[in-house]
Structures are given as C-alpha cells and as structure tokens.
Amino acid sequence: MGNGDSRVRGIAARAGGWSARHRWAAVGIWVLFVVLAMGAGSAAGRVDVKESDQLKGETHTAAKIIEDAGIEEPASETVLVQAKDGQLKATDAEFKAAVASVVKAVDGTGKVTDVKSPYDAASPTISKDGRSALVQFDMRGDSDTAGDRVEPVLKAVAGVQKDHETLRIEEIGGASMMKTFDDAFGDDFQKAELSAVPVALGILLIAFGALVAALLPVALAITAIMATMGLMGVVSHIMPMSDTANSVMLLVGLAVGVDYCLFYLRREREERAAGRDAQTALRVAAATSGRAIIVSGVTVCVAMAGMLFTGLAEFEAMGLASLMVVAVAMVGSVTVLPALLSLLGERVEKGRIPFLRKAMERRAARTGGESRFWTAVLRGVLAKPLVSVLVAAGALLAVAAPAIGMKTQNLTLDQEFGDSLPIVQTYNRVNDAFPGGSEPAEVVVKAKDINAPEVKSALADFKDRAISSGASRGPVEIKLHDAQNIAYVYVPLVGGSDLDKAGASLEKLRDEVRPATLGKVDGVQAPITGQVAGSHDFNDQLGGAVVPVFAFVVVFAFALMLLSFRSLTVAITSILLNLLSVGAAYGILVAVFQHGWGASLVGAEGVGAIITWLPLFLFVILFGLSMDYHVFVVSRIREARLRGRSTRDAIQHGVVTTAGVVTSAAVIMVAVFAIFGTLSMQSMKQMGVGLAAAVLIDATIIRGVLLPAVMALLGERNWYLPKWLNRLPDLTHDESPELITHEQPHQDERLRV
C-alpha cells in the first residue's frame, strides 16, 4: 500500500501534522477566525426571513400586495363577552352594560384604535344563540411589537371582568397571544439552550475522568457555534436567517462539535495507552479519526444541503445554518484540536476526578480498553448473524409500522399548547361561538379602482356567496383602503380550529366562490391568505419538496460512502440501515404524538398529528447524524481489515473498540435532544423526542447488532467494488496500514491491539 508518502496525501493527516508542528499558529488562526467571524456578523447584523417570503403560493402573493401597498396591518384584538350560566343574552341590560364598560375601558388606555361594538349595525358580532358577543379593536403602532404594549389593555379588560361576575370577559388576539407565549416560552428556549452545555460537560467528565479533556470538546463546539453565529449575520444578507435556524444551529453545533472532538481525543488517548509516543499517537489519530471526521462532516453537510431544495425560506435558513456549523466544527476538529493536544501534552489529564479515574483504570486493565457489554453482545451476534438480522430488522420494522398512517399538519393553538394556558381556553370558546372567528380567512382584493361599481358589486356578491356556499356562517367583514385601492375581506371559516374542515371551507372559497364573483372582474387580484391558508399552502409546498430532498440526500450520501470506502456493499448497506433508523423514529413519533401511546411519559397529549415540517427536517438531520457513527465504526473495521485481520475479526475489533466513544457521543446527543423534549410546546417536544429516539436506536440496535450482523453475513463481499468502478477517485489513501504500523512488525501489532 505505498510508502511513507501515503501519510502526506491524506488531507486530515496533513492538517493534523501541520497543526501539531505549528501549534501556536494553528490556535492563533482559529481564535482570529472566530473573532473576525463574530465581528463581521455583528457589524453586518442579521437579516431575518420576511413574513411575505415564508411561503410561495397565494399567501406569498397576498403578503406581497400588502407590502407593496405599504399598508401596515395593525394587530387586531377581540374581547369575548359571554354568559357564564347561559341565562343572560346579548339583548339584556346587564350584558349591554358590560359591553359598554369594555368599549370604554379599552378606549381609555390610549393604546387602541377603531373599537367596534357588537351592536354596530354595519357588522354585528353576536353569536347565533345570542349568548356571546365580540368587541373588536386594533392595537396602535407596529403589529410586530404590539405584544410589548398590550399589558394595560389586558389589565383594563380584567378590571371589567371583576365588576361582572355572571359574565365571562376575556381578551384574545395577535398581541395578547404574542405576550402570553413570550412570557411562557421565551425563557423555555433559553433554559434549554443553557442547560445543554452543562449536560454535555457532565457526560464528558464521566467519559474522560479528567476536567481538561472534558472541557476541550465543549470549548470547540462553543467556539464553532460563536463563529457560525457571526457567519449567519454575513450570509443572511444573501439568504435571510431566523430564530428557529439559530436554535437548530445550536443543537446541531453542540452535538456534532462535541462528537468530532470526542472521536479524535479518544483515539489519541487510545494510541498513547498502547505505548506510542505523543507525536505518533497524534499522527495516527489524525489519519484515522481525522479522516472519519472529514468523511462524516462532508456527508452531514450534504444532508443539510438537502433543505435548500424545499423552496421554503425557513427551511433554507435552517439547512444553511446547520451546514455552516458542521463545516466549522469539522475544520476546527482537524486543525485546532491537534494543535491543542500537542500543546497540552500530558496536561490533558489535568483535573482528574479521583474515584472516576481509578474505576476507569481498573476497567481498562481488566478489559484492555474494550467494552465488556458490547463484547458479550457481539459474541452472540457474530455467532448467529442471520437470526440477529431477522430479529433486529423485524423489531425496527415493527416500530416503524405506525409511520404508514402518519398525518401531518400545522398544529392549532390548542394542539400546540394544550389547555394549560387560559388564552387557549378563550381561543376554543371564541371558535365554538363563532366558528372560524378567531382565525378568519383573509381575502386581499386589489383593483385599479376599488370603488368602481363592478368591483363593489363583486365584493358584495362574494360576501353573500361565502355564506350561501356553506364555507362561512359569517359575519363577513370588509375593510376598504381607498388610497391604495385595496380591500380586506375577513371570512370566518366553517370548521374553525379543525384544520381539515376549515381547509375544505377554504377550498370552497378559492375554487367556487372567488371564480364566480371577484374572478369575473377584469384586473382584480384576490389571493386568499390567513392561518388556515398558510397551513394549507405550506403543506402543499412541503409535499412537493419531499421527493427532490430525499433523492438528493440519498444519492449524494451513497456517492460519498462509495468514494470514501471504495465498496459498493458498504455504500448500499449504510443507506439502507440509515433509512431503517429514520423509519423507526417516524414510527415512534406517530405512536406517541398521533396515537397518544405512552404520550404522558414525555408530558405530551396525543395531539393527533405530527407538525408539518418535522418529518422532512428529521430525515435530513438524522441522515446526517447517523452517518456520523456509521463512518466512524466502518472506518475502524476497514482499518483492522487492512492490517490483515479476517473480516469477522475486524468487525469484532471495530465495533468493540469504538463502543465507548460512540456510546458517550450518543448519550450526549440523546441528552441534548431530550432537553428539547421537555419544552412546553408540542412541536419542540416532537422534535426532541424524534431526534433522541432515533440517535438511541442508531447507536444501539443499528450499530451494535444490525451493522455487525449484516457485515458478518456478507463476509468478503463487504469490500466488493465492480471493476468498472475502479476508475473512481480514491479517497481511502489516508488509511495505509504502513502509516499506522511502521514502528512495530505486523504480527506484534495485531497481538497488542
């Protein structure tokens, strides 16, 4: 396999060698890069995804019309006045007095405008049974920040409630919801993000038994995250970013940054324990773990790039932010990490935790650094590989089975937050009394002259037909903006908070009512938007993106595995095993969140659906992260095979020696993702549980049972590469056995490992 020059050809080995020789320069360049990236980011500022660019389709057209017209749509609020015992009616004096008090109280705050009483002849808002009424008004000022100014209005409404015990007087709307959620969940996120680092550090302390060694991976992950935050600011001027993208980037950055560092550090310590001098140990770690990190990192980046094919701005932001943090963590792992290890030398063992350290030393002496648990499992797996494949694959297929009936939708307020918040109960009450009233469809009508007789009659016609078609029970409200020649038509949809039924009402408006009325007037645009329309359009857009994203990720990951391992078999089995773990994660999600099996264990209710964006997002992230372990374990098996071991022996060696590090890495990932599973929002719970379950399955059943069993069954066919593929570029040269074994004769090496 070549001579000493094989050492020079591998990019990871070269980078590690250069860093170890120019230690201070490597550390200095990294620090400079992080500082410059952060500086550039704060100077550039972050441009966030605009509301109008979130989606394509009608919702986008409507948002564009509003934006171009320069109409600032205020945040609208509603106060529900409702008889508690069902005795009082809106026509009774006490009811009328309460409504008058609400109108006076909200007006008196000076924060609101355009207050409408339910008794206005133009648009009466009294429920069919006459026991509920709505007072409607708009918040003054910018709608985006209305949540910050709504407090005095909420207090005024609460004051009126105190004076009227027999009535229910509650406020709901964009601003009050914004305030409620910021209060309830703003801290939630920060807590999750802040607790992730100590959790990772605690697990690393147990894994290494020394403070300095445990701090290194966390320091690398945090600097990679800081640099990426800066880069996100710069990049956002070309492709806008978002808070969601930032949270996802933090999650992925911490998981991957810590993992890569852990792989490298563990290998370097293992080589030192085997009697290598510091320089050789670093060189071996660079050529083996360093190479696995690059292969894995590039694969993860390719998987993340799949999100750029969705055409959804929020997804593109998440994909790009994750891709950047993985690339930065990968570069840091193979450049600055060897320099730090070289600088620290023996000091990497500083801050030893006495009892942990002794226990680890005793265990290493007893087991030769190999995992006893996995040695025992593997003995059984390799003795009966066919039975192991059938049992493990059968179990995972059974777990994946519920995924066949997966239903996705944007979660409504009561699904997302349960009944824990008073505002959710108000939302349900408004929807019961006025179906669709809390989230009406919004028709944005643009005409050359909005007051032209034919446009006016088409609008009136639309209003009548919306109700007669059965899409709405009214009241349909029309708001004119004469100066911009735009009219807003608000249509409460029949179906209310049931998105399936409300979606059918929306289709009626779009496909029947609109063409028969507004569609007949030349030069009139009338896109229909609103929450139900947004959810509907988002689902359509995402549905169209699934195939291209799946195809892109699978094809590229296959090509990368083929080039990295020069084996058609390894490439195919990697993809199939990955798909199996993603399928199992989907099955768990559907079982827990859609069917509610065991939902109370994770503090969830059976919501009846999976949030729309999660399946695709999970596929991309999991495909990337699963490759992490896969590449690492298969690299180790291949390396042992190159040293002259039999395939079965190489499988045993590869899986058992990587067991410790892969388990530590998986435990960190599961713990970090599980933190997100503790958040109050169902969508975050679903993401946390889905990711944690998949990583757990991946690091145990797939890596410890299925992968070795499949490889044992295939035997020498694992390394099969058809002749016509021999022309492919060779990316395997880092792993020359001579590089790893020049110092000792082959046989002696095999005995010692």
Side-chain angles (χ1 to χ4, degrees):
M1 262 256 181
N3 44 34
D5 116 288
S6 63
R7 180 168 78 242
V8 183
R9 283 166 55 207
I11 188 165
R14 269 201 318 239
W18 186 90
S19 297
R21 288 194 304 279
H22 308 91
R23 302 178 295 199
W24 286 109
V27 175
I29 290 168
W30 179 254
V31 172
L32 188 67
F33 161 67
V34 174
V35 170
L36 285 176
M38 287 170 70
S42 64
R46 194 179 83 187
V47 178
D48 277 359
V49 175
K50 276 199 305 218
E51 199 63 43
S52 60
D53 293 334
Q54 288 275 17
L55 288 168
K56 304 285 187 279
E58 286 195 29
T59 26
H60 175 73
T61 315
K64 209 85 194 101
I65 291 173
I66 295 167
E67 212 174 276
D68 294 346
I71 299 171
E72 277 295 324
E73 216 177 340
S76 59
E77 290 284 297
T78 298
V79 176
L80 171 72
V81 181
Q82 189 176 55
K84 272 187 186 167
D85 54 6
Q87 298 301 311
L88 277 176
K89 288 204 157 194
T91 47
D92 294 337
E94 190 186 336
F95 202 106
K96 286 186 167 173
V99 168
S101 302
V102 170
V103 171
K104 189 175 169 209
V106 296
D107 218 5
T109 61
K111 304 279 180 194
V112 309
T113 167
D114 200 14
V115 185
K116 283 198 201 74
S117 159
Y119 304 113
D120 283 358
S123 55
T125 45
I126 296 167
S127 65
K128 258 196 169 149
D129 63 4
R131 292 190 175 88
S132 306
L134 302 178
V135 177
Q136 294 173 315
F137 53 89
D138 293 331
M139 294 295 298
R140 288 182 190 274
D142 184 6
S143 62
D144 290 343
T145 55
D148 306 336
R149 299 187 301 277
V150 79
E151 178 103 31
V153 186
L154 289 167
K155 280 196 175 136
V157 172
V160 180
Q161 170 71 83
K162 275 198 194 109
D163 303 336
H164 297 271
E165 289 300 316
T166 52
L167 293 166
R168 199 176 266 126
I169 300 171
E170 303 170 326
E171 183 175 340
I172 189 167
S176 44
M177 285 200 234
M178 209 185 295
K179 179 177 169 17
T180 309
F181 301 152
D182 285 351
D183 292 353
F185 309 110
D187 307 339
D188 228 10
F189 263 115
Q190 270 158 338
K191 267 189 236 139
E193 287 164 3
L194 290 173
S195 53
V197 172
V199 164
L201 189 58
I203 297 164
L204 286 167
L205 270 175
I206 296 167
F208 285 121
L211 187 62
V212 174
L215 279 170
L216 269 183
V218 175
L220 182 90
I222 289 174
T223 51
I225 287 169
M226 284 156 66
T228 309
M229 276 185 175
L231 294 176
M232 276 170 76
V234 178
V235 170
S236 71
H237 290 267
I238 302 156
M239 184 181 279
M241 287 291 151
S242 71
D243 283 340
T244 321
N246 210 21
S247 287
V248 170
M249 184 276 292
L250 273 164
L251 253 186
V252 173
L254 192 64
V256 169
V258 167
D259 265 16
Y260 289 167
C261 204
L262 189 63
F263 290 166
Y264 210 105
L265 202 53
R266 259 325 233 301
R267 184 61 191 258
E268 193 260 357
R269 284 177 63 160
E270 196 183 306
E271 295 299 328
R272 294 271 287 272
R276 302 262 196 277
D277 62 87
Q279 207 182 344
T280 312
L282 250 182
R283 211 171 67 218
V284 174
T288 52
S289 287
R291 174 180 179 277
I293 287 167
I294 287 180
V295 172
S296 164
V298 173
T299 314
V300 179
C301 285
V302 164
M304 300 300 174
M307 288 204 215
L308 303 175
F309 287 80
T310 55
L312 292 163
E314 191 75 71
F315 260 82
E316 290 170 352
M318 285 197 268
L320 192 59
S322 310
L323 188 153
M324 291 194 298
V325 81
V326 171
V328 171
M330 173 181 79
V331 170
S333 303
V334 294
T335 56
V336 73
L337 189 57
L340 285 170
L341 288 175
S342 178
L343 272 172
L344 287 167
E346 291 296 330
R347 288 189 295 261
V348 86
E349 302 288 354
K350 276 260 191 296
R352 291 180 175 201
I353 299 163
F355 65 92
L356 261 178
R357 196 74 217 154
K358 286 198 180 80
M360 285 171 77
E361 279 162 6
R362 276 201 305 275
R363 198 173 137 224
R366 202 171 57 239
T367 62
E370 296 190 340
S371 159
R372 286 171 74 190
F373 172 75
W374 287 111
T375 307
V377 170
L378 270 177
R379 199 173 296 122
V381 168
L382 296 177
K384 293 199 167 66
L386 185 59
V387 176
S388 304
V389 168
L390 293 175
V391 171
L396 287 180
L397 286 170
V399 171
I404 295 166
M406 185 190 283
K407 177 184 166 200
T408 59
Q409 67 175 52
N410 278 354
L411 301 182
T412 53
L413 194 66
D414 48 342
Q415 287 176 316
E416 181 72 278
F417 299 108
D419 284 340
S420 54
L421 296 174
I423 204 158
V424 175
Q425 292 158 18
T426 308
Y427 167 86
N428 288 333
R429 284 196 269 267
V430 171
N431 260 320
D432 291 342
F434 302 89
S438 58
E439 281 155 6
E442 194 178 313
V443 191
V444 180
V445 184
K446 184 179 196 302
K448 291 192 189 77
D449 174 10
I450 205 75
N451 288 310
E454 66 272 22
V455 178
K456 283 211 137 164
S457 95
L459 277 169
D461 219 5
F462 181 87
K463 184 174 175 173
D464 295 340
R465 281 225 188 188
I467 296 171
S468 64
S469 68
S472 173
R473 292 198 194 110
V476 175
E477 191 195 344
I478 299 178
K479 235 187 210 176
L480 290 175
H481 291 271
D482 297 333
Q484 290 89 354
N485 282 313
I486 283 174
Y488 288 137
V489 185
Y490 297 100
V491 187
L493 296 171
V494 169
S497 60
D498 181 330
L499 283 182
D500 291 340
K501 287 185 185 151
S505 302
L506 172 78
E507 293 283 300
K508 231 178 241 175
L509 281 187
R510 281 181 170 176
D511 301 342
E512 291 172 28
V513 180
R514 180 176 55 189
T517 55
L518 293 161
K520 289 185 169 170
V521 185
D522 281 347
V524 167
Q525 276 179 284
I528 302 179
T529 182
Q531 179 155 10
V532 177
S535 174
H536 185 278
D537 294 351
F538 184 80
N539 261 339
D540 285 354
Q541 175 92 23
L542 207 56
V546 168
V547 174
V549 172
F550 264 70
F552 172 82
V553 172
V554 170
V555 168
F556 263 83
F558 174 79
L560 275 168
M561 295 302 274
L562 188 62
L563 292 174
S564 306
F565 292 104
R566 287 188 78 73
S567 156
L568 189 61
T569 320
V570 166
I572 292 170
T573 50
S574 308
I575 299 292
L576 291 177
L577 291 177
N578 256 5
L579 289 174
L580 195 54
S581 78
V582 171
Y586 281 176
I588 289 172
L589 269 181
V590 172
V592 174
F593 293 98
Q594 193 171 313
H595 301 315
W597 304 339
S600 53
L601 298 175
V602 290
E605 288 85 42
V607 182
I610 305 301
I611 191 156
T612 311
W613 52 265
L614 193 61
L616 196 62
F617 171 79
L618 269 189
F619 169 76
V620 168
I621 295 241
L622 291 178
F623 216 84
L625 296 181
S626 308
M627 279 296 182
D628 224 13
Y629 305 137
H630 207 87
V631 167
F632 197 63
V633 178
V634 177
S635 295
R636 202 60 185 265
I637 294 171
R638 191 172 182 282
E639 183 194 318
R641 181 79 188 78
L642 285 173
R643 290 178 173 189
R645 290 177 182 246
S646 70
T647 293
R648 184 166 289 230
D649 205 11
I651 294 167
Q652 165 92 17
H653 172 79
V655 174
V656 167
T657 48
T658 54
V661 63
V662 172
T663 305
S664 308
V667 169
I668 287 170
M669 277 204 201
V670 170
V672 169
F673 294 147
I675 290 170
F676 277 74
T678 63
L679 298 188
S680 323
M681 292 163 73
Q682 291 296 324
S683 50
M684 288 298 119
K685 263 194 205 308
Q686 291 186 3
M687 180 179 88
V689 169
L691 284 168
V695 170
L696 198 59
I697 288 168
D698 207 72
T700 51
I701 300 173
I702 300 255
R703 185 232 343 150
V705 180
L706 263 176
L707 173 66
V710 168
M711 288 187 87
L713 277 178
L714 290 166
E716 287 309 306
R717 290 187 295 270
N718 277 306
W719 318 113
Y720 169 70
L721 186 75
K723 282 205 171 64
W724 57 276
L725 285 176
N726 273 332
R727 295 198 197 98
L728 286 174
D730 187 351
L731 302 184
T732 60
H733 45 244
D734 288 32
E735 283 183 317
S736 159
E738 281 78 8
L739 163 63
I740 297 160
T741 59
H742 314 292
E743 292 85 3
Q744 283 96 0
H746 223 89
Q747 191 58 31
D748 170 49
E749 171 66 49
R750 276 186 59 191
L751 290 172
R752 269 169 24 83
V753 175

